Amino acid sequence: PSYLISSETTYATAKGEQTAVTLADGTEIVLNTDTELKVQLNPLHRLIPLAHGEATFKVAHETLRGFTVKANSGEIQDIGTQFNVNIAPEQVVVTVTEGAVRVQTLMQSSPPLAAGQRLSYNTKGIVSLPDRPDLAAVTAWQHGQIVFDMTPLSDAAEQLSRYHPVKFVFDD
């Protein structure tokens, strides 16, 4: 069987590009703009180091192999689920849309994060308290949209720069 063979594959998207990948185990990954990740598969584990960007993971259930996304100073461990991971400039934001995940950093671990919940952790590994975001806004990028709600102009410009080569500068 293919799961007995170790493999490593890198996937990346350019600015403004999005792509979907289906792994041999049936896991679906959708990469947002300007994203890079590796898929490391071996008989005991499925490890996805997310170098930068944002991706949604719809994980195929396997009892023999775990599924972990490594992002900055933390790891997101699948408990049978669908979730979004976004590496922002100062933090990693994890949002669960289905099922549950565990988040573990060098500093602390979170209780299981359930569907509809989001948390973040900073580069030092400090985990925030979970909240309940608007899931449609979190996943809007998968439908070609970006949603801003009470977002400072500088943050909106930073988000837009992920999708376009134009650099936004505001004098005032």
Side-chain angles (χ1 to χ4, degrees):
S2 62
Y3 71 87
L4 293 176
I5 301 169
S6 295
S7 65
E8 180 175 298
T9 307
T10 299
Y11 297 97
T13 55
K15 272 190 191 281
E17 180 185 21
Q18 295 176 343
T19 193
V21 175
T22 301
L23 305 182
D25 67 359
T27 295
E28 298 172 19
I29 304 172
V30 182
L31 287 77
N32 198 359
T33 181
D34 193 21
T35 297
E36 181 181 344
L37 59 79
K38 287 184 182 179
V39 175
Q40 299 172 344
L41 304 176
N42 67 51
L44 301 176
H45 203 75
R46 299 168 289 173
L47 178 64
I48 314 294
L50 179 60
H52 61 85
E54 179 175 23
T56 291
F57 303 88
K58 186 173 185 180
V59 182
H61 179 69
E62 282 192 12
T63 55
L64 299 178
R65 289 193 299 176
F67 187 96
T68 302
V69 175
K70 187 169 178 54
N72 285 354
S73 62
E75 294 183 347
I76 301 95
Q77 299 166 341
D78 167 61
I79 310 175
T81 193
Q82 183 171 339
F83 60 99
N84 191 80
V85 180
N86 183 7
I87 298 179
E90 299 296 321
Q91 65 183 350
V92 174
V93 181
V94 179
T95 307
V96 181
T97 54
E98 235 177 74
V101 300
R102 281 190 195 91
V103 176
Q104 173 77 45
T105 69
L106 297 173
M107 295 292 291
Q108 62 190 110
S109 61
S110 74
L113 195 64
Q117 291 186 307
R118 166 183 66 188
L119 65 71
S120 61
Y121 58 89
N122 63 21
T123 53
K124 295 178 182 176
I126 298 171
V127 178
S128 71
L129 292 174
D131 67 356
R132 293 197 166 271
D134 176 0
L135 293 181
V138 172
T139 60
W141 65 268
Q142 297 172 28
H143 309 288
Q145 301 173 342
I146 304 174
V147 176
F148 298 112
D149 182 21
M150 301 300 291
T151 305
L153 185 58
S154 60
D155 293 350
E158 187 176 305
Q159 277 283 17
L160 290 172
S161 70
R162 291 181 56 212
Y163 293 85
H164 304 285
V166 175
K167 173 110 170 108
F168 297 93
V169 177
F170 302 98
D171 291 335
D172 186 8

